[in-house]
Protein backbone atom coordinates (compact mmCIF):
# COMPACT_ATOMS: atom_id res chain seq x y z
CA UNK A 1 0.00 0.00 0.00
CA UNK A 2 1.28 3.50 -0.79
CA UNK A 3 2.52 5.23 2.33
CA UNK A 4 0.01 8.04 1.81
CA UNK A 5 -2.86 5.56 2.31
CA UNK A 6 -1.43 4.02 5.47
CA UNK A 7 -2.53 5.04 8.99
CA UNK A 8 0.01 7.27 10.76
CA UNK A 9 2.29 5.70 13.34
CA UNK A 10 0.71 7.74 16.14
CA UNK A 11 -2.67 6.18 15.36
CA UNK A 12 -1.20 2.66 15.34
CA UNK A 13 0.48 3.31 18.69
CA UNK A 14 -2.86 4.35 20.21
CA UNK A 15 -4.58 1.30 18.71
CA UNK A 16 -1.91 -0.97 20.18
CA UNK A 17 -2.51 0.43 23.68
CA UNK A 18 -6.24 -0.21 23.33
CA UNK A 19 -5.54 -3.70 21.95
CA UNK A 20 -3.59 -4.75 25.04
CA UNK A 21 -6.42 -3.59 27.29
CA UNK A 22 -6.12 0.19 27.43
CA UNK A 23 -4.06 2.57 29.54
CA UNK A 24 -6.38 2.35 32.53
CA UNK A 25 -6.03 -1.45 32.71
CA UNK A 26 -2.23 -1.19 32.61
CA UNK A 27 -1.98 1.62 35.17
CA UNK A 28 -4.20 -0.05 37.76
CA UNK A 29 -1.30 -2.42 38.46
CA UNK A 30 1.94 -1.38 40.16
CA UNK A 31 3.73 -4.72 40.41
CA UNK A 32 4.04 -7.86 38.30
CA UNK A 33 5.44 -11.37 38.67
CA UNK A 34 5.75 -13.34 35.45
CA UNK A 35 6.79 -16.99 35.37
CA UNK A 36 7.57 -19.23 32.44
CA UNK A 37 10.27 -21.01 30.50
CA UNK A 38 12.93 -20.09 27.99
CA UNK A 39 14.41 -22.54 25.51
CA UNK A 40 17.20 -22.43 22.92
CA UNK A 41 16.30 -25.51 20.90
CA UNK A 42 19.34 -25.56 18.64
CA UNK A 43 21.63 -25.59 21.67
CA UNK A 44 19.53 -28.10 23.59
CA UNK A 45 19.12 -25.63 26.46
CA UNK A 46 16.04 -24.91 28.54
CA UNK A 47 15.35 -23.19 31.82
CA UNK A 48 12.81 -21.66 34.16
CA UNK A 49 12.32 -17.90 34.01
CA UNK A 50 10.88 -15.35 36.42
CA UNK A 51 10.48 -11.61 35.78
CA UNK A 52 9.63 -9.23 38.62
CA UNK A 53 8.67 -5.58 38.09
CA UNK A 54 7.69 -2.86 40.53
CA UNK A 55 6.50 0.62 39.54
CA UNK A 56 7.90 2.93 38.57
CA UNK A 57 11.19 1.33 37.50
CA UNK A 58 12.35 -1.73 39.45
CA UNK A 59 13.21 -4.84 37.47
CA UNK A 60 14.64 -8.30 38.14
CA UNK A 61 14.91 -11.29 35.81
CA UNK A 62 16.21 -14.69 36.89
CA UNK A 63 16.75 -17.68 34.61
CA UNK A 64 17.71 -21.12 35.91
CA UNK A 65 19.21 -22.95 32.94
CA UNK A 66 19.61 -26.70 33.22
CA UNK A 67 23.28 -27.74 33.16
CA UNK A 68 24.39 -24.10 33.19
CA UNK A 69 23.14 -22.45 36.36
CA UNK A 70 21.35 -19.33 37.46
CA UNK A 71 21.53 -16.06 35.53
CA UNK A 72 20.23 -12.74 36.78
CA UNK A 73 19.71 -9.21 35.54
CA UNK A 74 18.46 -6.41 37.79
CA UNK A 75 17.81 -2.69 38.03
CA UNK A 76 17.09 -0.92 41.31
CA UNK A 77 16.14 2.42 39.80
CA UNK A 78 19.76 3.58 39.52
CA UNK A 79 22.19 0.67 39.20
CA UNK A 80 21.91 -2.15 36.68
CA UNK A 81 23.71 -5.49 36.97
CA UNK A 82 23.98 -8.97 35.54
CA UNK A 83 25.14 -12.22 37.11
CA UNK A 84 26.21 -15.22 35.07
CA UNK A 85 27.87 -18.45 36.31
CA UNK A 86 30.21 -18.38 33.32
CA UNK A 87 31.48 -14.80 33.46
CA UNK A 88 30.58 -13.61 36.95
CA UNK A 89 28.97 -10.36 38.10
CA UNK A 90 29.00 -7.20 35.98
CA UNK A 91 27.66 -3.68 36.32
CA UNK A 92 25.65 -2.60 33.30
CA UNK A 93 26.71 0.80 32.01
CA UNK A 94 26.42 3.20 29.10
CA UNK A 95 23.82 2.62 26.39
CA UNK A 96 23.09 -0.88 27.70
CA UNK A 97 22.08 0.67 31.03
CA UNK A 98 19.84 3.13 29.20
CA UNK A 99 18.17 0.18 27.47
CA UNK A 100 17.69 -1.63 30.78
CA UNK A 101 16.26 1.54 32.34
CA UNK A 102 13.68 1.78 29.56
CA UNK A 103 12.81 -1.91 29.91
CA UNK A 104 12.24 -1.36 33.63
CA UNK A 105 9.69 1.42 33.01
CA UNK A 106 6.53 -0.23 34.35
CA UNK A 107 4.20 1.91 32.22
CA UNK A 108 6.21 2.06 28.97
CA UNK A 109 3.49 0.24 27.02
CA UNK A 110 0.97 3.05 27.66
CA UNK A 111 2.77 5.43 25.28
CA UNK A 112 5.07 3.87 22.64
CA UNK A 113 5.76 7.32 21.17
CA UNK A 114 7.94 8.12 24.21
CA UNK A 115 10.26 5.31 23.18
CA UNK A 116 10.10 6.05 19.46
CA UNK A 117 10.07 9.80 18.73
CA UNK A 118 10.72 9.05 15.06
CA UNK A 119 8.08 6.69 13.65
CA UNK A 120 6.58 6.32 10.18
CA UNK A 121 4.24 3.70 8.77
CA UNK A 122 5.92 2.30 5.66
CA UNK A 123 4.08 -0.84 4.53
CA UNK A 124 1.58 -3.62 5.07
CA UNK A 125 3.43 -6.93 5.26
CA UNK A 126 3.33 -10.45 6.67
CA UNK A 127 5.00 -10.86 10.05
CA UNK A 128 4.69 -13.60 12.68
CA UNK A 129 1.91 -15.19 10.66
CA UNK A 130 -0.24 -12.04 10.57
CA UNK A 131 -0.94 -9.21 8.16
CA UNK A 132 0.73 -6.24 9.82
CA UNK A 133 1.41 -2.56 9.49
CA UNK A 134 5.16 -2.00 9.51
CA UNK A 135 6.34 1.13 11.33
CA UNK A 136 9.93 2.28 10.81
CA UNK A 137 11.20 3.65 14.11
CA UNK A 138 14.25 5.34 15.56
CA UNK A 139 14.99 6.36 19.13
CA UNK A 140 17.38 6.01 22.01
CA UNK A 141 16.67 2.25 22.10
CA UNK A 142 17.89 1.79 18.53
CA UNK A 143 16.25 1.66 15.13
CA UNK A 144 14.35 -0.74 12.93
CA UNK A 145 10.71 -1.75 12.50
CA UNK A 146 7.70 -2.49 14.69
CA UNK A 147 4.78 -4.60 13.47
CA UNK A 148 1.11 -4.18 14.43
CA UNK A 149 -1.74 -6.51 13.51
CA UNK A 150 -3.90 -4.90 10.81
CA UNK A 151 -7.01 -6.60 12.20
CA UNK A 152 -6.94 -5.72 15.89
CA UNK A 153 -3.87 -3.57 16.42
CA UNK A 154 -1.95 -5.95 18.70
CA UNK A 155 1.85 -5.64 18.63
CA UNK A 156 3.17 -8.64 16.71
CA UNK A 157 6.88 -8.03 17.18
CA UNK A 158 9.88 -6.02 16.08
CA UNK A 159 13.06 -6.12 14.07
CA UNK A 160 15.58 -3.81 15.73
CA UNK A 161 19.24 -3.10 16.32
CA UNK A 162 19.47 -2.64 20.08
CA UNK A 163 22.19 -1.80 22.58
CA UNK A 164 23.37 -4.63 24.84
CA UNK A 165 26.39 -5.19 27.14
CA UNK A 166 28.02 -6.74 24.05
CA UNK A 167 27.34 -3.71 21.85
CA UNK A 168 24.69 -3.10 19.19
CA UNK A 169 22.96 -6.35 18.23
CA UNK A 170 20.32 -6.89 15.51
CA UNK A 171 17.39 -8.86 16.91
CA UNK A 172 13.99 -10.02 15.70
CA UNK A 173 11.16 -10.74 18.14
CA UNK A 174 7.85 -12.31 17.15
CA UNK A 175 4.82 -12.42 19.47
CA UNK A 176 3.05 -15.63 18.48
CA UNK A 177 0.37 -15.96 21.16
CA UNK A 178 -1.43 -13.65 23.59
CA UNK A 179 -3.48 -14.22 26.72
CA UNK A 180 -5.32 -11.78 29.01
CA UNK A 181 -4.26 -11.50 32.66
CA UNK A 182 -6.51 -9.27 34.75
CA UNK A 183 -7.51 -7.18 31.75
CA UNK A 184 -4.06 -6.87 30.16
CA UNK A 185 -3.08 -8.81 27.05
CA UNK A 186 0.36 -10.40 27.49
CA UNK A 187 2.42 -12.10 24.78
CA UNK A 188 2.67 -15.65 26.13
CA UNK A 189 4.78 -17.19 23.35
CA UNK A 190 7.63 -15.16 21.87
CA UNK A 191 10.43 -16.10 19.50
CA UNK A 192 13.66 -14.10 19.68
CA UNK A 193 16.47 -14.32 17.14
CA UNK A 194 19.79 -12.58 17.81
CA UNK A 195 23.46 -13.21 17.07
CA UNK A 196 22.66 -16.28 15.01
CA UNK A 197 20.74 -17.98 17.81
CA UNK A 198 17.01 -18.43 18.39
CA UNK A 199 15.11 -18.91 21.60
CA UNK A 200 11.48 -19.27 22.60
CA UNK A 201 10.03 -17.62 25.70
CA UNK A 202 6.78 -19.06 27.07
CA UNK A 203 4.83 -17.25 29.79
CA UNK A 204 2.84 -19.59 32.01
CA UNK A 205 1.51 -17.20 34.67
CA UNK A 206 1.25 -13.48 35.44
CA UNK A 207 0.40 -12.13 38.88
CA UNK A 208 -0.15 -8.52 39.92
CA UNK A 209 0.00 -9.21 43.65
CA UNK A 210 2.21 -6.89 45.77
CA UNK A 211 5.98 -7.54 45.62
CA UNK A 212 8.43 -6.68 48.40
CA UNK A 213 10.71 -3.82 47.28
CA UNK A 214 13.63 -5.52 49.06
CA UNK A 215 13.78 -8.09 46.27
CA UNK A 216 15.13 -5.38 43.97
CA UNK A 217 17.96 -4.28 46.23
CA UNK A 218 21.53 -4.78 45.02
CA UNK A 219 22.97 -8.21 45.92
CA UNK A 220 26.06 -8.18 48.14
CA UNK A 221 28.50 -8.79 45.28
CA UNK A 222 26.94 -5.96 43.27
CA UNK A 223 27.20 -3.61 46.26
CA UNK A 224 30.87 -4.56 46.56
CA UNK A 225 31.50 -3.58 42.94
CA UNK A 226 29.72 -0.25 43.36
CA UNK A 227 31.53 0.59 46.59
CA UNK A 228 34.88 -0.55 45.22
CA UNK A 229 34.54 1.38 41.96
CA UNK A 230 34.87 -1.82 39.92
CA UNK A 231 32.86 -2.91 36.88
CA UNK A 232 33.01 -6.70 37.20
CA UNK A 233 33.98 -9.67 39.33
CA UNK A 234 34.71 -13.26 38.23
CA UNK A 235 32.49 -16.22 39.21
CA UNK A 236 32.87 -17.29 42.82
CA UNK A 237 34.83 -20.44 41.94
CA UNK A 238 37.34 -18.48 39.84
CA UNK A 239 37.61 -15.79 42.47
CA UNK A 240 38.42 -18.51 45.02
CA UNK A 241 41.02 -20.01 42.71
CA UNK A 242 42.70 -16.63 42.38
Amino acid sequence: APAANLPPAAELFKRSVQAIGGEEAVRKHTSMRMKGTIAAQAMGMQGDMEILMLAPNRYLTTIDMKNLGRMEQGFDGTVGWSKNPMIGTQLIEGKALDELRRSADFFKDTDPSRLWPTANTVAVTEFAGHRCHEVAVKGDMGEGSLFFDVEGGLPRGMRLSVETPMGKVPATTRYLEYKAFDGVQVATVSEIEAMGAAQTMTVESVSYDPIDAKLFEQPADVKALVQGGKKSAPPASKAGAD
Side-chain angles (χ1 to χ4, degrees):
N5 297 329
L6 296 171
E11 179 182 323
L12 295 176
F13 287 166
K14 291 179 179 178
R15 286 187 66 205
S16 74
V17 175
Q18 291 303 311
I20 65 172
E23 183 172 352
E24 184 177 346
V26 175
R27 288 191 177 277
K28 78 175 184 179
H29 304 119
T30 57
S31 60
M32 183 192 72
R33 184 187 300 267
M34 179 185 292
K35 292 184 177 182
T37 61
I38 189 164
Q41 293 90 340
M43 301 174 65
M45 298 174 64
Q46 182 171 335
D48 296 322
M49 171 193 69
E50 182 177 64
I51 299 174
L52 304 180
M53 295 186 70
L54 181 66
N57 59 354
R58 305 295 193 272
Y59 177 90
L60 180 65
T61 297
T62 55
I63 300 174
D64 287 303
M65 296 295 290
K66 294 178 175 62
N67 303 320
L68 183 59
R70 183 182 180 89
M71 294 177 286
E72 180 179 302
Q73 186 179 67
F75 183 70
D76 67 356
T78 303
V79 175
W81 67 88
S82 65
K83 301 175 69 172
N84 185 306
M86 303 295 291
I87 61 176
T89 302
Q90 295 182 313
L91 296 183
I92 299 174
E93 299 180 320
K95 292 183 178 181
L97 178 61
D98 293 337
E99 167 68 13
L100 181 58
R101 184 181 292 110
R102 284 184 283 269
S103 296
D105 180 353
F106 197 89
F107 302 115
K108 61 184 178 296
D109 292 335
T110 63
D111 186 5
S113 64
R114 289 194 296 115
L115 299 176
W116 307 108
T118 300
N120 297 286
T121 311
V122 295
V124 173
T125 186
E126 290 291 318
F127 187 85
H130 295 265
R131 191 163 175 260
C132 294
H133 287 113
E134 179 180 356
V135 179
V137 294
K138 187 175 183 180
D140 291 339
M141 288 179 64
E143 59 184 305
S145 294
L146 309 180
F147 299 88
F148 299 93
D149 199 313
V150 169
E151 293 262 334
L154 274 174
R156 287 296 174 185
M158 62 197 76
R159 187 179 293 124
L160 301 171
S161 291
V162 298
E163 294 292 342
T164 75
M166 293 170 286
K168 185 172 284 190
V169 173
T172 299
T173 301
R174 300 177 183 87
Y175 302 137
L176 303 183
E177 295 181 18
Y178 274 87
K179 182 179 178 180
F181 295 91
D182 197 16
V184 179
Q185 293 284 341
V186 175
T188 51
V189 179
S190 305
E191 289 182 350
I192 304 102
E193 296 179 10
M195 300 178 68
Q199 59 186 26
T200 301
M201 188 174 79
T202 303
V203 174
E204 297 171 347
S205 68
V206 176
S207 168
Y208 297 104
D209 294 336
I211 296 176
D212 190 344
K214 291 182 179 180
L215 294 176
F216 301 91
E217 294 178 354
Q218 299 168 21
D221 51 352
V222 173
K223 283 184 180 179
L225 290 179
V226 173
Q227 294 171 359
K230 298 180 179 180
K231 295 182 179 181
S232 64
S237 59
K238 291 185 179 181
D242 294 342

